[in-house]
Amino acid sequence: MSGLDGAWTRRWIEAIAAEVAARKSELTSLDRAIGDGDHGENLDRGFQAVLGKLDALEADAAPGAVLKLVATTLISTVGGAAGPLYGTAFLKGAMAAGDRAELDARALVEVLTAARDGIVARGKAEPGDKTMVDAWSPAVDAAAAAGDDVRGVLEAAASAAEEGAAATEPLVAHKGRASYLGERAAGHRDPGAESTALILRAAAATS
Ligand code: ADP
Ligand code: MG
């Protein structure tokens, strides 16, 4: 397979669900330090609900149809800030994927760009505000510069998101609950940036 098809998209979503379940308490600990301590539980509830619905999708569902199912499920089950933000990301990604049967590198970059743009439009955060945008933005930039091999695009996006998430540690937050803490948010990694890195690393790890 040269592009990413609907079956790959399902395997990616299943990989996210497994990683979120495994790292739920880690994500929640990050959110306990600078938020309200629910990020891991929120995402785990959402992706477990997605797993329950994937089976009902037609076997040959295109990537866009899988992404749309994820979006609507996250919007209705996750809540908080992250639910609508990730829901918007997957919905805009689904719209960018359209009814293509496979995503090549160029289409994948369009999907990732639409997801990031959706989060920015919804949450109004800029890079440096200590949010998930700090992982998404470098990921999209790296993906766009990665060339025409889908695996290369996925690896570039995952690595840049991980670096972006790590780089949130010294920052003071300007959006979300962590912004109420002022200087006290510095020294802690943003949970949403970390979950974004998880999501994109899961994509790079899915064959
Ligand atoms: P809540 O803050 O409502 O408890 P979560 O704990 O699930 O929601 O998610 C918190 C994460 O959401 C933060 O770590 C941050 O990455 C992200 N976030 C919060 N507000 C915004 C925003 N305006 N734009 C982008 N991301 C945001
Ligand atoms: Mg929270």
Side-chain angles (χ1 to χ4, degrees), residues 41-177:
E41 274 74 17
N42 283 347
L43 284 187
D44 187 50
R45 184 171 58 250
F47 278 97
Q48 289 305 316
V50 171
L51 284 187
K53 291 190 182 181
L54 272 181
D55 287 345
L57 215 56
E58 309 92 87
D60 61 350
V66 178
L67 297 176
K68 190 168 176 203
L69 177 75
V70 175
T72 53
T73 308
L74 294 184
I75 288 167
S76 62
T77 58
V78 175
L85 290 167
Y86 277 132
T88 302
F90 279 94
L91 193 61
K92 299 292 181 186
M95 289 161 68
D99 56 7
R100 290 181 181 94
E102 283 194 7
L103 305 176
D104 61 10
R106 189 180 168 143
L108 175 59
V109 170
E110 286 173 15
V111 167
L112 294 172
T113 304
R116 187 272 313 270
D117 291 352
I119 288 169
V120 170
R122 176 118 201 174
K124 307 275 186 284
E126 294 172 12
D129 282 346
K130 198 180 180 99
T131 71
M132 59 174 72
V133 172
D134 289 318
W136 277 101
S137 262
V140 167
D141 292 346
D148 57 8
D149 168 39
V150 276
R151 316 286 345 168
V153 172
L154 290 173
E155 180 56 40
S159 296
E162 287 167 347
E163 284 167 25
T168 63
E169 278 175 25
L171 299 177
V172 169
H174 298 291
K175 284 280 187 283
R177 288 181 198 278

